[in-house]
Amino acid sequence: MIKHSKVEDFAADWQQLHQQVPESTKKLICDTVDRYAGDLATQFYDYMLADKEANPFISHDIVSQRLHASMQGWLRELFSVQQHDPKEIYKYQCHVGVVHARIQMPISLVLRGSRLLKQAITEHLVETELDRAKLVQATRFVSEVMELSMSAMTDSYVINVGKSVRTDESYRMFALGQNMLAERERQRAALSEWAQHILLHLLGDEGTGVPEMKHSEFGLWLQHKASIIFHDAPELERIRVCVEKLERTLLPGLIEKRRNGGNAREAMRQVEADIGEVKFLLTGLFDRFIEVESGRDSLTRLLNRRYLPTILMRELALARNSDVPFAILLLDIDHFKNINDTHGHDSGDMVLQQASDLVTSSVRVGDFIFRYGGEELLVVLVEIGRDQALQVAETIRERFAAEPMRVGDGKVMQVTVSIGVAAYNGHPDYERIVKDADDALYRAKNSGRNRCELAD
């Protein structure tokens, strides 16, 4: 949260700056910015779109659909002659800073863009009828207004980036708070299952198209969860080296020897040795950490929603940098209030626990499941497109409809769910995909419930 003193300091500086400049000069600046707002926005985003560092965060479509108009509105508001409350102006600049932090836009880009706008506005002011003294005063005013705005944005940006870092560490500690022994054995089993799959594939004389580890249960866990939990562990990088060696060298070599009648036994021994090394490193990886119980939803034992930004920001980064898709399912138990009213809150809690178990058993180890609030669950499906995500949602919905839930005293009842599905579409703000899923869920509920809706 921004300190009260910063708000007061901004308000005082803002008022003092406006008192130093004649109304006629401020009116000319306002009219100039209003007249050229479209050109200024175009110039700003042309510069951004040409900057490789900015490419992951904006696109031509996003600029034309939303950002161009937003930039014009921001400029007009900033230089308006209508004297708004400086504290409200400060809050809005802070909001913009929060959005930049959320989408992980480097603050250096924002500051470079600010300098570009100052220069462009100054060039337009030079073309007006202002004499030299008033022109100097006007350009100084524009510069100070922009500096105050950037100062407020930077304040909130730094604070929210810090929050994100702390939340990342908190999620890591939460993950370590799970039963590490059970998780270790689960991942060892997943690795063995993949190895067995490979051997059966080879024995079946299927010499091509060997299943890649990165798409296996173990591979998904390694890519999306282990990198968070064990991000600074040396064993993790060694595991990745072994996996790369296995997939790029050992397995292709084994396939080639089997085709050409070479020493496949020796090649197989090398593959088994590499898999054994991964298992050994995996055991050491888990043994380095102790159990820490924290951050778990006490009823469902699912992830707490406070960790959602951490997960979504990471998946967004993967999607931007590696073109890896992901999707969100937002589930709501239909008529949950009736369950509580008819059978009592204990029965409602029992239904929530069974619902979380059903969803957990319906998705992969590498996916993330959150207790989003009340009777809502949120699932982050990794490495999956919109059509596959919709299929997963339908499977979950059908399982709910087919499996009556216990409500106590030996009674069961039919429970259905409505599900909103949203796939990553390139937007850099993680809240947008959550809102898309929420809007789809709203349509599902309004269309009769017990259905899945895909976001537009």
Side-chain angles (χ1 to χ4, degrees):
M1 181 175 292
I2 300 295
K3 292 182 178 179
H4 179 70
S5 61
K6 286 186 176 291
V7 182
E8 297 295 333
D9 290 346
F10 177 92
D13 290 342
W14 185 269
Q15 289 175 333
Q16 182 181 13
L17 175 62
H18 278 260
Q19 290 168 359
Q20 294 172 347
V21 179
E23 292 299 322
S24 58
T25 301
K26 288 189 288 186
K27 177 69 166 57
L28 180 63
I29 294 170
C30 173
D31 292 344
T32 301
V33 170
D34 182 64
R35 179 182 178 184
Y36 294 105
D39 293 339
L40 291 168
T42 297
Q43 191 172 350
F44 177 87
Y45 284 114
D46 284 348
Y47 171 79
M48 285 293 182
L49 288 167
D51 191 313
K52 291 183 179 179
E53 192 178 4
N55 287 164
F57 305 98
I58 60 174
S59 67
H60 288 281
D61 288 342
I62 291 175
V63 168
S64 63
Q65 292 171 11
R66 295 182 65 252
L67 298 182
H68 196 276
S70 296
M71 171 61 73
Q72 294 181 59
W74 177 76
L75 285 168
R76 290 186 172 107
E77 183 75 15
L78 203 59
F79 293 100
S80 172
V81 292
Q82 302 294 327
Q83 284 299 298
H84 301 292
D85 183 354
K87 294 180 181 178
E88 292 302 315
I89 294 173
Y90 181 81
K91 289 180 182 178
Y92 182 69
Q93 307 313 306
C94 288
H95 168 72
V96 176
V98 168
V99 172
H100 288 152
R102 196 163 60 221
I103 68 175
Q104 299 178 301
M105 171 80 77
I107 194 65
S108 59
L109 277 177
V110 180
L111 296 176
R112 291 209 301 270
S114 169
R115 291 195 296 272
L116 176 72
L117 288 172
K118 282 192 292 185
Q119 180 181 349
I121 294 172
T122 298
E123 289 172 356
H124 287 301
L125 288 174
V126 169
E127 298 173 355
T128 66
E129 69 275 12
L130 289 173
D131 60 32
R132 181 177 178 81
K134 289 183 178 180
L135 179 61
V136 170
Q137 187 181 50
T139 56
R140 177 181 173 276
F141 177 81
V142 169
S143 178
E144 291 293 331
V145 166
M146 294 293 288
E147 287 299 323
L148 282 173
S149 172
M150 291 302 105
S151 175
M153 285 187 196
T154 304
D155 284 345
S156 62
Y157 181 94
V158 171
I159 288 173
N160 281 273
V161 167
K163 284 181 180 178
S164 176
V165 171
R166 291 192 295 274
T167 304
D168 284 353
E169 182 61 21
S170 179
Y171 173 75
R172 180 173 165 272
M173 296 305 294
F174 158 76
L176 292 172
Q178 301 179 77
N179 188 329
M180 288 287 104
L181 181 61
E183 184 67 16
R184 183 190 69 185
E185 295 309 311
R186 185 181 299 116
Q187 296 311 321
R188 283 172 61 91
L191 178 61
S192 296
E193 181 181 356
W194 175 82
Q196 185 178 29
H197 190 188
I198 288 294
L199 293 176
L200 291 174
H201 191 89
L202 292 172
L203 289 173
D205 289 329
E206 299 179 53
T208 59
V210 174
E212 294 181 321
M213 179 184 284
K214 65 182 180 181
H215 297 310
S216 69
E217 290 286 327
F218 175 77
L220 292 174
W221 174 84
L222 183 67
Q223 171 77 347
H224 296 276
K225 288 190 175 180
S227 56
I228 299 176
I229 301 170
F230 307 114
H231 67 95
D232 59 351
E235 293 92 344
L236 187 60
E237 183 57 32
R238 290 168 63 190
I239 287 174
R240 289 183 177 133
V241 171
C242 284
V243 169
E244 184 173 1
K245 176 184 175 184
L246 188 66
E247 294 201 306
R248 293 194 176 187
T249 305
L250 298 182
L251 282 174
L254 174 59
I255 293 171
E256 187 66 24
K257 284 183 170 61
R258 290 190 73 249
R259 283 177 179 167
N260 301 326
N263 189 354
R265 179 173 297 180
E266 175 59 22
M268 180 65 75
R269 189 194 65 76
Q270 292 177 352
V271 168
E272 291 174 342
D274 197 76
I275 294 173
E277 177 70 7
V278 173
K279 287 183 178 179
F280 173 79
L281 291 169
L282 190 64
T283 299
L285 188 65
F286 277 95
D287 287 349
R288 286 170 56 87
F289 296 88
I290 62 173
E291 293 187 18
V292 181
E293 186 69 23
S294 64
R296 196 192 307 273
D297 178 66
S298 59
L299 178 64
T300 63
R301 312 304 287 169
L302 299 177
L303 288 172
N304 191 299
R305 66 178 290 173
R306 67 180 292 198
Y307 299 118
L308 184 60
T310 296
I311 301 305
L312 288 182
M313 287 171 69
R314 174 175 168 73
E315 292 304 320
L316 278 167
L318 281 172
R320 284 198 304 263
N321 299 330
S322 305
D323 200 25
V324 177
F326 72 96
I328 282 181
L329 310 183
L330 190 55
L331 298 85
D332 185 89
I333 299 175
D334 295 330
H335 304 295
F336 187 75
K337 185 177 184 298
N338 292 343
I339 298 174
N340 284 332
D341 293 344
T342 304
H343 300 282
H345 288 276
D346 288 343
S347 295
D349 288 348
M350 190 180 300
V351 168
L352 276 173
Q353 289 171 328
Q354 294 170 82
S356 66
D357 291 342
L358 188 152
V359 173
T360 300
S361 66
S362 300
V363 299
R364 300 161 301 175
V365 175
D367 299 319
F368 301 86
I369 313 171
F370 297 81
R371 171 89 180 275
Y372 191 65
E375 66 274 20
E376 289 185 336
L377 306 180
L378 186 147
V379 183
V380 179
L381 299 173
V382 302
E383 298 195 16
I384 198 168
R386 56 180 303 197
D387 293 336
Q388 291 173 296
L390 184 60
Q391 291 176 4
V392 173
E394 282 292 347
T395 298
I396 293 173
R397 185 194 65 78
E398 290 170 1
R399 287 193 61 189
F400 270 92
E403 301 178 21
M405 302 228 169
R406 303 183 305 277
V407 291
D409 297 327
K411 298 178 182 178
V412 297
M413 70 174 296
Q414 198 68 46
V415 175
T416 62
V417 291
S418 300
I419 306 178
V421 183
Y424 171 69
N425 63 1
H427 198 284
D429 189 346
Y430 67 82
E431 283 197 353
R432 175 51 62 93
I433 189 172
V434 175
K435 184 179 185 302
D436 288 346
D438 189 56
D439 291 343
L441 173 60
Y442 182 82
R443 290 202 308 274
K445 293 170 71 69
N446 280 354
S447 299
R449 295 183 170 84
N450 187 24
R451 61 185 294 127
C452 301
E453 286 285 345
L454 189 63
D456 293 332

